[in-house]
Amino acid sequence: MFKLKLQRLFTVNPSIEGPKFCSVASSLQFLDDGGQTNHQIHEHNTSILSTQIQQTPSMDPRFYVSALMNCKHLQQIKSIHAQLSVNGLLSDLLLINKLLYMYVRYNSLDDAYSLFDKMPERNPASWSVMIGGFAKAGNYTNCFETFREYIKSGEHLDVYTLPSVIRVCRDRKDLKMGRLVHHIAHKFGLHKNTFVCVALVDMYAKCGIIDDARKLFDIMPERDLTTWTVMIGACAASGNANESLVLFDQMRESGLVPDKVSMVTIVNACAKLGAMHKAKLIHDLIQTQYRSPDVILGTAMIDMYAKCGSIDSARQVFDEMPQRNVITWSTMISAYGYHGQGQKALELFLIMCKNRIAPNKITFLSLLYACSHSGLVKDGLQIFSQMQDEYFIKPDVKHYTCMVDLLGRAGRINEAFTMIKNMKVEKDEGLWSAFLAACRVYNQVEMAQKAAESLLEINPHNPSHCIMLSNIYAKAAKWDDVAKIRVQMNGKNVKKTPGLTWVEAHNTFYKFSSGDRTHCESNAIYEKLEGLIGKLKVNGYVPDTDFVLHDVSEEVKLGNLYAHSEKLAIAYGLMSVPEGNPIRVTKNLRVCGDCHTFIKVVSLVEGREIIVRDAKRFHHVREGVCSCGDYW
């Protein structure tokens, strides 16, 4: 914002004589002599500029403002600075502010602050430029210190400086400083200004204080498109994507027409929620406003459709895009990956290479993920080697995590562990979690203990590590070890994340937890589920009580299995989703093995397609067969 203000402040009066400005402007253009180095060109331009300024009889500061505006590099700015000093014009505030702005623009903060420190007089624009310059450069300490000096100076705060400081608080997630700046804004009567409010809403949201962000948003006297977009994005980022969609509808009802930025924001929110009915409405709106989406919006739509469970719609958007970049290709490859279509991901990569689109780290990460979730071990190893040997891309910890997952899922636990030991990048939580999950599948208790110990060193407060190890002990019937883990969890006040499942019906979502009876049709749902399980047993379904990780009787285990949130959600889906439409289910955790078997048999017996999005991937289940090939 301070940049916009300065541009207004430094607009040159068109009535000023033209020839002088034309000569200076032309002298600043880079010469194309075919042989001079950049350094020689800079020296030549600077020499011409200095000579012309010295020969110019005008002492009008506006002449120098125009000259500064036409500067192409730092040396030219310094040359004008020297001339201003010689001609005694360093007392003109408008001119010095412009000089200060140019130093900041060319990232010469030392020169800028040296000038700023010697200024005999400063106005809000001076402070705004200096504070904004430090903020943009990531020099947060000096940004805050200069802001503190600004407050002490007694100058009245403007609406251009505060947002810069607030954004620093946002980027650093410095809630304490953010609240202090909010109080200062209130003191100066700027707390209701649109620019300041938007920055504060964004800051509170990024700091995870979504309630404060919403309160501030609700009391704003006026909300422009930027304000709505920030709040919609904040809700999605905080895990409340459904509220984002509600706000988007309210924004349109208020008469505002979404631009491409707000459309990208709502498309991303829809992707987080996985709401197919909303995805279609948003797509229709985009088609109404634009002939075809640009690269950014189109890429977001690919991700939206993929995460709503329609890989075919995602590919259609991809194919219809007039332009694509490496992110677009990587997004489509990634979509095939978490839909379990690894072979199609590899085929698309070959087409990408034929189109001479250079892959990057994200592309290879998407490819390795696709190989991992499709059991393509040989292809994954080849891609990992190709990335380094042909494209000279060094793998980071995420690439190694995919490789450990690839080998671990295939049962090659020792190879995965050897890779972990030999890797030269720092190991993180995700890497050890992937290895621990593989140990669980293949009952490698000793290896699991090593992984759990490493995880607890990195993050002792994450409950999933303890729970995973506890489940491994439970699967091996080591109940004493299970009890020890639970005692440790109780001592640390660590609690298990509850399993939740959402089913899309009647153009909305219904949430279920294990043993849930909060739904108004609970009795009918349990009655439907009981009858369904009876039909499934006749068709070969045998409940797998190994997935009940408690030392209890078989009868209790069966009761626990039948009340899993996935089963309740699917029973309600069968009651509510019309015949011919797929039942779309979202699980916040990984679907358990028994529920996976249950879903396959339901699809066969009921003749329904069931699409399940769990924490790891999508499962498309038709006629008793899952797209994951029972490899997830």
Side-chain angles (χ1 to χ4, degrees), residues 130-363:
M130 200 65 250
I131 291 168
F134 282 133
K136 184 180 178 182
N139 192 336
Y140 301 139
T141 301
N142 280 331
C143 177
F144 285 144
E145 185 59 39
T146 308
F147 180 65
R148 190 176 290 111
E149 289 178 27
Y150 186 13
I151 302 298
K152 290 179 180 178
S153 73
E155 280 277 3
H156 189 78
L157 277 177
D158 64 4
V159 297
Y160 302 99
T161 308
L162 274 172
S164 295
V165 180
I166 294 167
R167 281 191 290 272
V168 170
C169 299
R170 174 201 67 188
D171 294 341
R172 297 184 68 194
K173 290 185 170 54
D174 190 341
L175 183 61
K176 184 177 179 181
M177 188 65 179
R179 290 195 187 281
L180 178 60
V181 175
H182 189 176
H183 290 317
I184 291 170
H186 205 284
K187 179 180 178 181
F188 282 86
L190 299 173
H191 58 293
K192 291 186 179 180
N193 175 271
T194 301
F195 295 142
V196 175
C197 272
V198 170
L200 286 168
V201 167
D202 193 30
M203 182 272 295
Y204 281 125
K206 293 295 193 302
C207 290
I209 315 298
I210 195 67
D211 290 340
D212 285 7
R214 186 58 190 267
K215 286 176 185 176
L216 197 56
F217 174 82
D218 288 339
I219 64 172
M220 288 180 69
E222 293 182 14
R223 304 181 193 125
D224 60 8
L225 186 58
T226 302
T227 311
W228 281 97
T229 303
V230 167
M231 194 66 236
I232 289 167
C235 287
S238 67
N240 196 351
N242 192 52
E243 184 64 17
S244 293
L245 298 175
V246 172
L247 283 171
F248 182 72
D249 290 339
Q250 291 175 358
M251 181 190 82
R252 294 185 65 212
E253 288 169 5
S254 72
L256 288 172
V257 178
D259 61 5
K260 285 191 178 180
V261 176
S262 55
M263 288 307 310
V264 169
T265 303
I266 197 61
V267 165
N268 290 336
C270 189
K272 285 179 180 289
L273 188 62
M276 190 62 187
H277 66 281
K278 281 291 186 182
K280 291 177 179 177
L281 291 173
I282 291 169
H283 192 174
D284 289 342
L285 180 60
I286 290 170
Q287 287 184 319
T288 302
Q289 285 192 227
Y290 312 105
R291 286 185 179 179
S292 60
D294 62 9
V295 172
I296 297 173
L297 184 54
T299 302
M301 289 173 65
I302 292 169
D303 186 55
M304 173 185 73
Y305 270 126
K307 288 179 179 173
C308 288
S310 180
I311 192 69
D312 292 337
S313 297
R315 183 58 190 261
Q316 185 178 347
V317 172
F318 176 85
D319 288 339
E320 291 175 356
M321 286 178 66
Q323 289 183 316
R324 311 181 193 108
N325 61 14
V326 64
I327 301 173
T328 312
W329 287 89
S330 300
T331 300
M332 193 66 236
I333 290 169
S334 177
Y336 278 129
Y338 53 76
H339 278 271
Q341 299 184 25
Q343 201 59 53
K344 286 190 176 181
L346 293 173
E347 290 169 5
L348 188 62
F349 177 63
L350 292 177
I351 298 171
M352 176 183 173
C353 292
K354 287 179 182 178
N355 280 270
R356 297 183 178 180
I357 306 295
N360 60 16
K361 280 191 171 188
I362 302 301
T363 312

Side-chain angles (χ1 to χ4, degrees), residues 362-396:
I362 302 301
T363 312
F364 283 106
L365 188 63
S366 301
L367 283 166
L368 292 174
Y369 185 91
C371 292
S372 171
H373 282 262
S374 301
L376 303 173
V377 179
K378 183 179 178 181
D379 293 291
L381 290 168
Q382 184 178 340
I383 289 290
F384 189 65
S385 176
Q386 185 181 5
M387 175 181 73
Q388 300 171 74
D389 299 338
E390 293 183 28
Y391 292 94
F392 307 104
I393 296 175
K394 290 184 178 180
D396 59 25

Side-chain angles (χ1 to χ4, degrees), residues 421-487:
K421 287 194 298 181
N422 294 336
M423 60 188 281
K424 295 179 181 179
V425 299
E426 187 176 353
K427 304 166 185 64
D428 70 357
E429 200 170 349
L431 180 88
W432 284 112
S433 293
F435 185 67
L436 182 59
C439 292
R440 177 189 177 187
V441 172
Y442 291 98
N443 299 319
Q444 296 284 336
V445 179
E446 290 184 10
M447 288 283 199
Q449 287 175 323
K450 292 178 182 178
E453 287 169 5
S454 298
L455 280 166
L456 291 172
E457 284 180 15
I458 296 170
N459 187 357
H461 303 292
N462 189 333
S464 63
H465 311 326
C466 297
I467 292 161
M468 181 79 78
L469 185 59
S470 173
N471 291 347
I472 291 169
Y473 285 142
K475 195 173 180 180
K478 295 190 172 187
W479 301 112
D480 289 342
D481 291 321
V482 171
K484 289 177 183 177
I485 293 288
R486 288 178 179 166
V487 168

